[in-house]
Amino acid sequence: MANDRCGGCGAQLEPTFRFCAQCGRPASAAAPTAARPAPAAAALRLVPVRHDGRAGPAQALQASGVVCGRTEGQLVFGDDATVSPRHARFTPRADGALLEDLNSLNGTFLRLRAPRPLSAGDELRLGRQLLRLEAVARPVDGAARPWGSADLGLRFRVVQVLDGGGTGEAFPLAPGENSIGREVGEITFPNDRYVSARHARLDLLESGVVVVDLGSSNGTFVRITGPVMVTAGDQALVGLQLVRVE
């Protein structure tokens, strides 16, 4: 129905989408008319995960919220230059916490727990790779070039973003499944040991592009473009820092 809203973040659900365009939760889990009982958000805590996999000191989710930053906030990563001074904030809600980016330089990314639709401009992090989805510009009607390969009608491509902001390789997406991995797939990064052999998949459907994690060891993360709801088990990347919600 047109009035359905996502049970995860409360965003309006598009009638033809199987997943919420904002947080990626299944559209079948629409928000009910009456509020559902939920665990108190005050019981949640944020746990930084070190690069060796060990958990750092936990930070209770306070009623006023928790700010993550390099120089400000309750969860401070002073030695990580990829973290902005005030990077992200977790604010308690009745059914979890609201995660928002505070106009950070490098963005805040949320780990996929379910397939999620993407829009042109969305960014993914997997392993050490930063990838951006771009729409392929179509030729102007009546324009023609006397050179180049045949136009296959491609609609989207994935662009590798390099350290410093430059762009690397561009990978056109074919209709159907496009696998990403270290060893297997249409898009491979053989020198990135943090990318799993079969890491993720980009499905190009009639309705658009959907990203699916394939059970990778280190996860697939999508940059948030607005406030999103998180619950226990969610993981966020703040710069190079992994923060787990418990």
Side-chain angles (χ1 to χ4, degrees):
M1 294 177 59
N3 293 326
D4 282 347
R5 290 188 175 275
C6 175
C9 67
Q12 184 74 47
L13 292 172
E14 296 293 337
T16 59
F17 280 17
R18 292 181 296 164
F19 305 96
C20 173
Q22 181 63 36
C23 71
R25 296 180 189 276
S28 58
T33 303
R36 295 175 298 176
L44 293 177
R45 62 179 189 167
L46 305 178
V47 180
V49 181
R50 300 187 176 111
H51 296 304
D52 59 6
R54 294 184 299 168
Q59 172 66 52
L61 184 57
Q62 306 167 6
S64 58
V66 170
V67 170
C68 305
R70 190 176 71 251
T71 60
E72 301 180 41
Q74 294 74 35
L75 203 54
V76 176
F77 303 103
D79 296 329
D80 190 340
T82 68
V83 178
S84 292
R86 281 173 55 86
H87 196 111
R89 177 168 54 221
F90 292 83
T91 306
R93 291 290 185 266
D95 53 353
L98 193 68
L99 169 62
E100 55 188 323
D101 183 78
L102 300 177
N103 296 316
S104 68
L105 176 63
N106 294 310
T108 301
F109 292 72
L110 187 63
R111 185 170 183 168
L112 287 177
R113 298 179 74 177
R116 170 175 174 158
L118 298 176
S119 300
D122 282 344
E123 293 182 351
L124 305 173
R125 283 181 61 175
L126 48 96
R128 293 300 184 195
Q129 305 302 316
L130 175 59
L131 305 176
R132 182 172 62 238
L133 180 68
E134 295 183 349
V136 175
R138 307 309 307 149
V140 179
D141 290 342
R145 294 184 184 275
W147 60 84
S149 299
D151 183 358
L152 301 179
L154 298 170
R155 297 158 53 201
F156 291 96
R157 67 178 184 175
V158 171
V159 175
Q160 182 186 35
V161 182
L162 303 178
D163 184 19
T167 56
E169 293 188 74
F171 306 93
L173 299 183
E177 298 180 356
N178 298 265
S179 297
I180 307 174
R182 189 180 67 251
E183 301 172 358
V184 179
E186 288 71 31
I187 304 172
T188 58
F189 302 101
N191 297 320
D192 190 338
R193 61 190 179 93
Y194 295 98
V195 175
S196 294
R198 295 183 71 253
H199 196 109
R201 196 178 72 225
L202 293 171
D203 294 344
L204 179 53
L205 312 174
E206 287 296 327
S207 58
V209 179
V210 175
V211 59
V212 182
D213 184 79
L214 298 177
S216 64
S217 298
N218 296 313
T220 302
F221 294 77
V222 180
R223 185 171 185 165
I224 64 173
T225 56
V228 297
M229 287 297 300
V230 294
T231 57
D234 278 327
Q235 298 180 26
L237 276 174
V238 177
L240 290 176
Q241 303 300 319
L242 181 63
V243 179
R244 186 172 65 227
V245 182
E246 294 184 350

